[in-house]
């Protein structure tokens, strides 16, 4: 099967955010940050409770609750800001090149503007499908990105990728409701 599409800056941003949300190190770091913040709030609240009484401690906890959710929101926006800057920088060198993927029996031939590469099927690790794109993760840590916006038939592409995953015995994960959180 042959697919032709153009990757936009928004597609790259969505893919980077998706990949970031799946990175174990990032998930762990974000969870540790939230736990650390909770521990700071708890320690400070208990200290205030001991020094100034129950009412002051309770008021402190009530004030901290919205601040905790504000922190989570600000953290999300900070990630988007940094990743957007990275993607913008990468997209400047890429431009609006047309990408062509040709799926053979043993390899995927990828033409991206003047560049051409061949990816053996044995390098495929997992196929993700979210609402706006497909991401084929490779064992090298890289990924092949297929945006759904410019595809002629999303159903044919989905069934072809699902068949490919079954043939290669690799996971095919549908996360159509995925959002950056």
């Amino acid at each position: 099967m042959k697919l032709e599409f153009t990757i936009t800056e928004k597609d790259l941003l969505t893919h980077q955010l998706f990949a970031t949300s799946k990175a174990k190190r990032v998930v762990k770091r974000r969870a540790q940050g939230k736990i650390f913040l909770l521990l700071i709030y708890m320690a400070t609240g208990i200290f205030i409770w001991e020094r100034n009484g129950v009412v002051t401690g309770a008021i402190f906890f009530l004030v901290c609750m919205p601040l905790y959710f504000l922190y989570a929101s600000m953290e999300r926006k900070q990630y988007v800001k940094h990743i957007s800057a990275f993607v913008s920088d990468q997209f400047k060198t890429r431009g609006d090149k047309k990408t062509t993927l040709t799926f053979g029996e043993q390899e995927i031939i990828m033409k991206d503007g003047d560049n051409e590469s061949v990816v053996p099927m044995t390098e495929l690790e997992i196929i993700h499908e979210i609402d706006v794109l497909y991401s084929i993760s490779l064992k090298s840590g890289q990924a092949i990105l297929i945006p759904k916006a410019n595809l002629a038939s999303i159903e044919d592409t989905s069934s072809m990728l699902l068949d490919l995953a079954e043939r290669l015995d690799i996971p095919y994960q549908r996360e159509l409701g995925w959002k950056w959180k």
Side-chain angles (χ1 to χ4, degrees):
M1 181 174 202
K2 187 175 184 178
L3 301 173
E4 290 187 350
F5 51 86
T6 303
I7 296 175
T8 65
E9 190 170 345
K10 185 177 179 184
D11 294 329
L12 285 174
L13 176 62
T14 303
H15 178 260
Q16 287 297 325
L17 290 171
F18 177 73
T20 300
S21 74
K22 295 298 176 188
K24 291 177 183 170
R25 192 178 81 212
V26 174
V27 170
K28 183 179 176 183
R29 185 179 328 139
R30 291 180 76 190
Q32 286 174 341
K34 289 177 183 177
I35 290 171
F36 180 72
L37 184 63
L38 279 175
L39 290 175
I40 294 294
Y41 284 162
M42 292 297 288
T44 306
I46 291 170
F47 179 76
I48 290 172
W49 188 322
E50 290 291 323
R51 296 285 179 175
N52 298 331
V54 177
V55 175
T56 309
I59 291 171
F60 176 78
F61 283 123
L62 287 175
V63 169
C64 287
M65 218 180 313
L67 292 177
Y68 177 78
F69 294 109
L70 180 66
Y71 168 79
S73 174
M74 288 174 53
E75 181 193 40
R76 271 194 310 271
K77 289 177 184 176
Q78 193 68 20
Y79 269 94
V80 171
K81 180 181 173 185
H82 287 297
I83 292 172
S84 293
F86 171 76
V87 167
S88 292
D89 189 44
Q90 294 297 315
F91 197 74
K92 286 178 189 172
T93 60
R94 177 185 165 64
D96 290 329
K97 297 177 186 175
K98 183 168 227 121
T99 302
T100 305
L101 294 177
T102 307
F103 291 84
E105 285 297 314
Q106 300 296 319
E107 74 277 327
I108 300 172
I109 301 170
M110 187 167 131
K111 293 181 183 175
D112 195 31
D114 296 335
N115 303 324
E116 184 174 333
S117 59
V118 177
V119 178
M121 290 292 186
T122 56
E123 283 297 306
L124 275 59
E125 187 172 46
I126 186 169
I127 301 172
H128 291 280
E129 178 183 0
I130 61 174
D131 59 342
V132 294
L133 58 86
Y134 301 97
S135 176
I136 304 172
S137 298
L138 307 177
K139 292 177 182 173
S140 65
Q142 297 177 326
I144 299 172
L145 173 64
I146 306 171
K148 291 181 177 180
N150 300 332
L151 295 178
S153 174
I154 294 173
E155 293 81 21
D156 290 345
T157 305
S158 290
S159 65
M160 184 272 299
L161 290 173
L162 188 58
D163 291 343
L164 180 65
E166 288 175 2
R167 183 170 59 102
L168 298 174
D169 195 30
I170 60 172
Y172 184 94
Q173 294 184 350
R174 276 194 173 110
E175 298 182 46
L176 301 176
W178 177 85
K179 299 276 186 241
W180 170 247
K181 297 178 185 174

